[in-house]
Amino acid sequence: MLLFFILGLLVHFVFFGSIFDIYFTSPLVHGMTPQFTPLPPPAKRLVLFVADGLRADALYEFDENGNPRAPFIRNIIMHEGSWGISHTRVPTESRPGHVALIAGFYEDVSAVAKGWKENPVGFDSLINESKYTWSWGSPDILTMFAKGVGGDHIYTYSYDAASEDFGAHDVTKLDTWVFDHVKEFFHAARNNQSLFSKVNEEKIVFFLHLLGIDTNGHAHRPTSREYKDNIKVVDDGIKEIVSMLEHFYGNDGKTAFIFTSDHGMTDWGFHGAGHPSETLTPFVTWGAGIKYPQKVSAQKFDDAFLKEWKLENWKRQDIHQADVAPLMASLIGVPFPLNSVGILPVDYLNNTDLFRAESMFTNAMQILEQFKVKMTQKKEAILPFFFTPFKSLSESKQLNILRKARSYIKQRKYDEAVSLCKELIHLALKGLSYYHTYDRFFLGVNVFLGFVGWTSYASLLIIKSHSNLTRGVSKEVKKPSRLLACSFIAIGVLVAFFLLIQDCPWTYYVYCLLPIPIWYAVLREMGAGLLVLLLSLCVITSLLKRKDHFINEELPLHLFQMLSIVLSMYVVYTTHDSLLKKQGLPLFNQIISWITLASSFVLPLLSPTSLFERLFSILLSSMSAYLLLSTGYEALFPLVLSCLMFVWIQVEQETLRQPTVSYKQKVTSLRFTCSPDITQFQQLYLDDVRRAFFLVFFLVTAFFGTGNIASINSFDLASVYCFLTVFSPFMMGALMMWKILIPFVLVMCAFEAVQLTTQLSSKSLFLMVLIISDIMALHFFFLVKDYGSWLDIGTSISHYVIVMSMTIVLVFLNGLAHLLTTKKLELCGKPKSHLI
């Protein structure tokens, strides 16, 4: 049985990881030829301002006094440049947003494994293509565009990561630090001949990352005075930098400016999903190569934003976030980023029609290059008679469109050339998606076979070993047929050879070969399996018709646990008050929080092993930790859940059906024990199906009771402020994960009590839960999405992950619950004892 559980865990780890190979692999390809516009660019230099976490409405709206919240930017919109809304894609996080802006592609979800801080896959960017780039801002953002880039043309200046403190008194210093250091840089350039010559080169970029707005939004919410005042600080800072640059370069008219944001923010201070407050970001551009404001009498947008912002007479041109990268590349004349999927917004360009058409043609060639490389890689990895090309963009059609577009340009039919290039881009993007998902059906079928085989094997094991349904059937074990074994070995060899000649990744071998031994085990058990199943149906049909106080020495412990709860309430209140006053996290509160969290694992082990007292002790310790991780009424959830668990234990004890036992013990007289008497375990009955279903139901309830882990913005970062306020994604994530696990632990401890009252084998029930969750997992496997909003993607992943995690995590949670309920620590040198 132990071997079975180990194999079961391995199988489910494979199933669990399969969705990341099938649905979430990197879309990037390498080996393309750089493409750039062959005409002189309008700008020598580009200045990119990115206000992290800035919502479009927060920038464009008027304040309470009827004045523009960002007067300098509004003046640009009305007198100097063009504007619109940049539509971001989910996940609306800082790293994917900056990758889309500067590299021109939408990063896949697998980058979350590294916290969106490292580069899971190397990629090209505008910064890499520039001759020189100087950047100032957060170390998390700047380093990801400099890491792994050859040469010494990228210079980064960042503050210490500890400065990103949500509890700091004034986080606008994150933005003023950037503005001050940019001013110092240009002041130093006047006295440094080497630096002066570099900043006067062509094809250079200045990147200013402004994190203050995002930090204030998380700490105080976007509707707060701090968030809105920070916008004014940024507006004033940009005004000073623009004035300084124009003076430094003698108003040569060769500087292009872009101001935008990586993502927005919800009213409750989070981002990551697809709400308009998160996906709608401002986009304002002016300077060399950019059109001046265009007054219009009517616009094509049917939302109410234009009237609210009083911009209905100034032409609004919306873009997708990835479109910014080709626009910037076109402005300074560098090659388009190799992995960019952005479409050049030519309506922003103030240049000749020839330049617009040539730039669009370059854009089409750059994306077509990716399509051709992707198609070649897939074609070379698949046997010729199995390869199915993307029919909408054959090689002849590619050549025909390119030839026709080039002809239009020669004939000065520039608008027709631009339209044809856009058509080619859309076809190439569809083709990229087609080849990226080429193996999805093949791998999905193999995982499906593995699921069905494993579920069938587990069902047979339950019928044969944990029920009395086969009581009248001979259990004589017959030697399996040698022909059957040889047949499956031959199938395995053929599958492995098929994968080998196609040079498939090693994970493909796992997904394709795993179903073979599983189905062999199923068919070997069905030597008489069909007969067993038929008899089982008959027996099940017949069964369906059948009706059948605290001791004094423990008082200090519970008093101490109650004191911990009081301290937790005090820490939560005083921490919240201190942060509101912008005095930071008190050191005393931080120490008490960590001590309380650590002691919550130990204190239950000091209580008696009697059922009620031990469960009560676990609840008290869990609540003290949960309170520290709560921001409001959600702290009631584990308390209500625990009351429900006590009701469940009582109900199961009252409905107990044991034909061999004529009496039932009272719940208060039961004790947890490390070594239960296996001879007292009962066989499975139909009631046990209900218990398995209840366990699955309560586990799902425990999971969603504190929020949906698939959508990070369901959780409030303020939950961890009693422990730390300096941004640390992995530490904060670990604390949030423990908050999620506490209700799970309470459910599993209650389940330990149910097993004790019903004398039910945990192994048999685990098999039933395994089957239920596998059936659910197979259903959700085919519903996983890799498109749409981050909320849709995350929900589809979470459904699959939840049911897969049930079988994987259940083993570990069961062990933790067994430890918490049965182990007894003795103080003052007393020996351990486990009363039965």
Side-chain angles (χ1 to χ4, degrees):
M1 184 58 74
L2 177 61
L3 179 61
F4 173 80
F5 282 120
I6 293 175
L7 290 176
L9 281 176
L10 291 175
V11 167
H12 283 83
F13 271 121
V14 171
F15 291 160
F16 181 86
S18 65
I19 63 169
F20 296 101
D21 261 337
I22 297 174
Y23 293 101
F24 303 110
T25 54
S26 174
L28 303 186
V29 290
H30 299 87
M32 291 79 69
T33 304
Q35 304 288 328
F36 57 90
T37 306
L39 300 176
K44 294 177 62 176
R45 66 198 72 93
L46 173 81
V47 183
L48 173 62
F49 302 96
V50 178
D52 205 304
L54 177 60
R55 291 162 47 154
D57 58 346
L59 178 77
Y60 294 139
E61 69 184 3
F62 286 73
D63 62 19
E64 299 79 4
N65 300 320
N67 299 317
R69 194 171 302 285
F72 176 73
I73 295 296
R74 178 164 286 265
N75 181 70
I76 292 293
I77 293 173
M78 300 175 69
H79 299 100
E80 296 187 39
S82 297
W83 76 285
I85 290 178
S86 172
H87 295 262
T88 72
R89 269 200 200 175
V90 290
T92 46
E93 300 287 348
S94 291
R95 178 192 165 96
H98 282 88
V99 169
L101 285 170
I102 299 174
F105 72 93
Y106 301 104
E107 197 162 40
D108 64 292
V109 183
S110 63
V112 76
K114 293 194 174 183
W116 278 313
K117 286 191 173 184
E118 300 292 332
N119 294 346
V121 179
F123 59 85
D124 189 27
S125 71
L126 173 85
I127 290 177
N128 183 45
E129 296 291 352
S130 67
K131 187 164 188 179
Y132 294 107
T133 291
W134 291 269
S135 55
W136 297 264
S138 168
D140 297 337
I141 300 301
L142 304 188
T143 55
M144 71 183 186
F145 293 103
K147 184 174 292 187
V149 176
D152 58 351
H153 66 293
I154 300 175
Y155 305 93
T156 61
Y157 306 91
S158 58
Y159 37 75
D160 188 75
S163 301
E164 302 174 18
D165 188 347
F166 298 125
H169 175 70
D170 181 17
V171 297
T172 59
K173 64 183 181 182
L174 298 176
D175 297 336
T176 55
W177 184 98
V178 171
F179 295 134
D180 291 343
H181 280 72
V182 173
K183 295 173 188 175
E184 292 173 7
F185 171 82
F186 280 95
H187 179 73
R190 293 182 181 277
N191 304 313
N192 185 321
Q193 185 58 42
S194 174
L195 180 59
F196 185 81
S197 62
K198 286 182 179 179
V199 297
N200 278 281
E201 292 277 1
E202 297 181 349
K203 308 181 191 306
I204 61 174
V205 175
F206 301 104
F207 171 34
L208 283 69
H209 175 246
L210 308 168
L211 188 60
I213 293 175
D214 181 77
T215 308
N216 262 319
H218 284 304
H220 306 288
R221 311 296 183 262
T223 55
S224 66
R225 173 54 53 195
E226 290 83 356
Y227 184 88
K228 295 174 180 177
D229 287 347
N230 204 149
I231 296 176
K232 183 66 169 63
V233 169
V234 167
D235 186 67
D236 292 340
I238 292 176
K239 180 180 180 180
E240 293 178 9
I241 296 298
V242 170
S243 175
M244 179 202 67
L245 286 173
E246 289 178 344
H247 178 69
F248 183 89
Y249 288 108
N251 294 306
D252 65 352
K254 290 295 183 178
T255 307
F257 299 91
I258 288 180
F259 175 70
T260 186
S261 175
D262 55 346
H263 56 74
M265 189 172 289
T266 62
D267 289 339
W268 54 95
F270 282 87
H271 50 83
H275 191 272
S277 61
E278 300 166 89
T279 60
L280 302 183
T281 59
F283 182 77
V284 182
T285 181
W286 68 100
I290 299 297
K291 279 186 177 179
Y292 289 99
Q294 304 173 63
K295 282 207 167 186
V296 292
S297 56
Q299 305 215 41
K300 61 181 180 180
F301 303 98
D302 57 359
D303 52 49
F305 293 140
L306 289 168
K307 190 172 183 180
E308 291 176 9
W309 302 335
K310 299 181 181 179
L311 290 171
E312 56 265 48
N313 295 325
W314 279 267
K315 186 176 181 180
R316 165 182 158 191
Q317 302 179 70
D318 286 10
I319 62 172
H320 294 289
Q321 195 171 48
D323 300 342
V324 179
L327 174 62
M328 295 190 294
S330 176
L331 287 172
I332 59 175
V334 300
F336 286 32
L338 295 175
N339 305 116
S340 171
V341 294
I343 302 175
L344 176 66
V346 291
D347 290 339
Y348 272 94
L349 294 176
N350 182 24
N351 212 312
T352 64
D353 289 340
L354 173 61
F355 181 86
R356 287 151 50 94
E358 286 287 358
S359 297
M360 202 71 215
F361 187 84
T362 302
N363 191 189
M365 286 294 296
Q366 171 259 322
I367 294 179
L368 183 63
E369 276 285 307
Q370 295 181 71
F371 168 81
K372 291 162 73 173
V373 170
K374 191 80 171 180
M375 180 184 68
T376 302
Q377 290 177 352
K378 188 57 61 179
K379 190 174 183 180
E380 291 176 349
I382 296 177
L383 295 174
F385 48 86
F386 281 126
F387 179 71
T388 305
F390 181 64
K391 297 179 181 178
S392 299
L393 191 56
S394 62
E395 190 172 348
S396 59
K397 188 168 185 178
Q398 297 173 34
L399 294 173
N400 183 47
I401 293 178
L402 291 174
R403 192 180 299 113
K404 198 171 183 180
R406 180 49 67 190
S407 175
Y408 280 146
I409 293 175
K410 288 182 178 179
Q411 297 172 30
R412 299 186 178 181
K413 297 180 179 179
Y414 301 120
D415 290 339
E416 290 85 346
V418 168
S419 298
L420 200 59
C421 289
K422 287 183 178 179
E423 178 188 344
L424 179 59
I425 288 174
H426 288 300
L427 286 174
L429 291 175
K430 286 183 180 179
L432 273 172
S433 176
Y434 172 80
Y435 287 119
H436 180 60
T437 60
Y438 193 88
D439 293 333
R440 183 170 295 178
F441 177 76
F442 169 69
L443 295 176
V445 168
N446 282 278
V447 173
F448 171 79
L449 291 175
F451 262 117
V452 175
W454 177 259
T455 305
S456 302
Y457 182 69
S459 302
L460 286 173
L461 196 60
I462 288 178
I463 294 171
K464 292 184 64 176
S465 305
H466 297 281
S467 73
N468 57 0
L469 301 180
T470 58
R471 188 175 297 165
V473 181
S474 172
K475 295 188 178 181
E476 178 184 355
V477 180
K478 294 184 178 180
K479 188 176 180 180
S481 168
R482 185 171 295 179
L483 177 61
L484 182 66
C486 292
S487 300
F488 274 88
I489 291 174
I491 292 173
V493 171
L494 287 174
V495 170
F497 179 73
F498 174 77
L499 297 173
L500 181 64
I501 60 177
Q502 296 192 96
D503 196 25
C504 293
W506 67 269
T507 51
Y508 282 38
Y509 289 83
V510 176
Y511 304 138
C512 296
L513 293 176
L514 183 63
I516 295 174
I518 293 177
W519 277 105
Y520 171 72
V522 171
L523 295 179
R524 187 183 64 176
E525 297 288 340
M526 296 180 80
L530 291 176
L531 178 60
V532 170
L533 289 175
L534 290 174
L535 288 174
S536 300
L537 289 174
C538 296
V539 176
I540 289 174
T541 304
S542 65
L543 286 174
L544 289 172
K545 296 178 181 178
R546 190 184 305 170
K547 291 186 178 179
D548 292 311
H549 298 300
F550 300 121
I551 6 175
N552 289 336
E553 63 184 40
E554 304 297 342
L555 187 58
L557 171 64
H558 295 293
L559 289 176
F560 183 78
Q561 290 180 305
M562 295 171 70
L563 177 62
S564 295
I565 291 180
V566 173
L567 277 175
S568 297
M569 296 168 64
Y570 168 79
V571 167
V572 170
Y573 175 78
T574 55
T575 299
H576 178 70
D577 185 61
S578 177
L579 292 177
L580 279 180
K581 295 177 180 177
K582 300 183 180 179
Q583 296 174 352
L585 171 61
L587 180 61
F588 173 78
N589 289 13
Q590 190 174 25
I591 294 173
I592 291 296
S593 298
W594 285 108
I595 290 175
T596 302
L597 179 64
S599 65
S600 66
F601 296 98
V602 179
L603 292 179
L605 304 182
L606 299 175
S607 64
T609 56
S610 59
L611 186 146
F612 180 79
E613 290 190 36
R614 179 54 66 93
L615 291 181
F616 183 67
S617 180
I618 293 171
L619 172 61
L620 290 179
S621 291
S622 300
M623 281 301 300
S624 62
Y626 200 88
L627 280 169
L628 293 170
L629 292 166
S630 301
T631 58
Y633 60 85
E634 80 265 23
L636 294 172
F637 174 72
L639 183 61
V640 176
L641 181 65
S642 298
C643 294
L644 181 60
M645 292 299 98
F646 278 111
V647 173
W648 182 33
I649 295 168
Q650 189 65 41
V651 168
E652 292 296 351
Q653 204 270 343
E654 290 296 327
T655 59
L656 187 61
R657 291 177 52 192
Q658 294 188 60
T660 59
V661 178
S662 57
Y663 69 94
K664 290 183 273 191
Q665 291 178 284
K666 291 185 178 180
V667 172
T668 53
S669 66
L670 294 173
R671 288 183 176 273
F672 291 107
T673 175
C674 287
S675 304
D677 185 0
I678 61 174
T679 62
Q680 296 296 320
F681 286 160
Q682 63 163 334
Q683 291 290 322
L684 287 176
Y685 290 89
L686 288 179
D687 279 355
D688 300 320
V689 178
R690 183 196 68 243
R691 294 182 182 107
F693 174 78
F694 273 15
L695 177 60
V696 173
F697 173 76
F698 288 135
L699 287 173
V700 174
T701 302
F703 182 86
F704 285 104
T706 53
N708 178 10
I709 189 62
S711 182
I712 300 301
N713 67 353
S714 294
F715 294 96
D716 195 337
L717 277 181
S719 298
V720 301
Y721 284 176
C722 291
F723 296 90
L724 73 165
T725 56
V726 176
F727 183 62
S728 176
F730 291 104
M731 182 61 72
M732 290 177 167
L735 289 169
M736 285 190 183
M737 189 59 66
W738 179 239
K739 178 180 179 180
I740 296 169
L741 288 178
I742 286 176
F744 279 89
V745 173
L746 294 175
V747 171
M748 292 307 299
C749 289
F751 177 62
E752 284 284 319
V754 169
Q755 292 181 74
L756 182 62
T757 59
T758 59
Q759 296 183 333
L760 185 66
S761 168
S762 61
K763 295 178 181 177
S764 59
L765 197 78
F766 177 78
L767 287 173
M768 297 182 68
V769 173
L770 187 76
I771 292 172
I772 294 173
S773 59
D774 279 351
I775 293 172
M776 295 167 61
L778 184 58
H779 170 72
F780 290 125
F781 174 79
F782 291 106
L783 297 180
V784 173
K785 293 182 178 180
D786 62 345
Y787 59 90
S789 74
W790 178 229
L791 184 62
D792 293 336
I793 296 173
T795 301
S796 68
I797 296 175
S798 69
H799 287 163
Y800 181 75
V801 169
I802 290 167
V803 291
M804 287 302 298
S805 299
M806 282 182 192
T807 53
I808 297 173
V809 179
L810 190 60
V811 177
F812 303 104
L813 288 177
N814 191 54
L816 178 59
H818 186 73
L819 173 70
L820 288 174
T821 54
T822 61
K823 296 296 181 182
K824 179 74 166 68
L825 295 180
E826 296 288 351
L827 299 178
C828 303
K830 292 183 179 180
K832 291 184 180 180
S833 64
H834 299 286
L835 299 176
I836 300 179

